[in-house]
Amino acid sequence: MKPNARATWVGGVRRGKGVVTTGSGTLSQSQYFEADDPKSKGTNPYELIAAAHAASFSMALAEELSGAGFTPQRIATTVTVTLEPQSVGWTVTAIQLDVLAEMPRATQGDFIRAAVRAKTNCTISRLLKANLAMSAKLQIAEPRNHPKVRPSSDNLKVSKTKKQSIGRSSPKP
């Protein structure tokens, strides 16, 4: 499986805007903006990370509960992504998962054990520990009044870089 998405950003970071389209078509030319622009209608990359993590964790928890013999009626997960300024720039320093499940027959202990396993096994949670690969190519554009674009031969390819944890918070009891 290789899901994909495409994003295009136009302009500088403060006044620019972008559109994102997912391979499934669920998001199609959906607008996104800088995270701290309260006037903008659209999403931002950090909100999309939170949404992906909430969805993935909810499915992982449903799987863990099913494996333990329980059938949840409802799982509601809220994920909050915390961004803080660091010397290298804005950095995701914490992700908080808050989950509420409705389920018959389970005890609080059954639920907590399944939730801890889901947090460990969730695909997006594990992504935070992944090696990263990047391919980047600079294409130099002429000023706006000259729409010609000339390709550049400056390319960057980085693969199998190790990701270091920065400010990872421990789960609340």
Side-chain angles (χ1 to χ4, degrees):
M1 181 176 2
K2 292 186 178 185
N4 66 79
R6 182 179 63 253
T8 303
W9 183 264
V10 178
V13 71
R14 295 286 178 217
R15 295 187 183 189
K17 63 182 177 179
V19 292
V20 63
T21 300
T22 57
S24 68
T26 300
L27 296 178
S28 179
Q29 298 293 302
S30 298
Q31 289 191 343
Y32 71 98
F33 300 90
E34 183 185 20
D36 66 355
D37 186 353
K39 297 176 286 185
S40 300
K41 292 196 183 232
T43 189
N44 62 67
Y46 315 105
E47 186 177 67
L48 293 171
I49 289 169
H53 203 173
S56 182
F57 177 82
S58 294
M59 291 188 301
L61 181 55
E63 177 71 22
E64 292 296 336
L65 290 167
S66 294
F70 302 104
T71 304
Q73 293 174 337
R74 180 175 174 264
I75 297 171
T77 304
T78 301
V79 174
T80 304
V81 175
T82 301
L83 290 153
E84 296 178 317
Q86 303 284 319
S87 61
V88 296
W90 285 94
T91 303
V92 173
T93 57
I95 296 177
Q96 175 68 39
L97 287 92
D98 295 306
V99 62
L100 174 66
E102 295 175 16
M103 175 176 47
R105 299 183 6 258
T107 66
Q108 185 69 16
D110 295 329
F111 176 69
I112 295 300
R113 281 187 292 281
V116 169
R117 283 192 309 272
K119 181 179 169 245
T120 301
N121 296 328
C122 168
T123 305
I124 301 300
S125 294
R126 289 193 329 260
L127 174 66
L128 302 173
K129 299 174 187 172
N131 286 333
L132 301 176
M134 180 177 79
S135 174
K137 180 179 180 180
L138 176 63
Q139 193 169 37
I140 307 216
E142 298 294 332
R144 281 242 179 241
N145 52 0
H146 297 94
K148 294 180 185 176
V149 176
R150 73 174 187 255
S152 170
S153 61
D154 296 335
N155 292 317
L156 169 68
K157 184 165 184 162
V158 180
S159 62
K160 294 187 179 177
T161 58
K162 290 189 177 180
K163 185 172 183 177
Q164 298 178 359
S165 35
I166 300 172
R168 186 171 293 193
S169 63
S170 56
K172 291 184 179 182

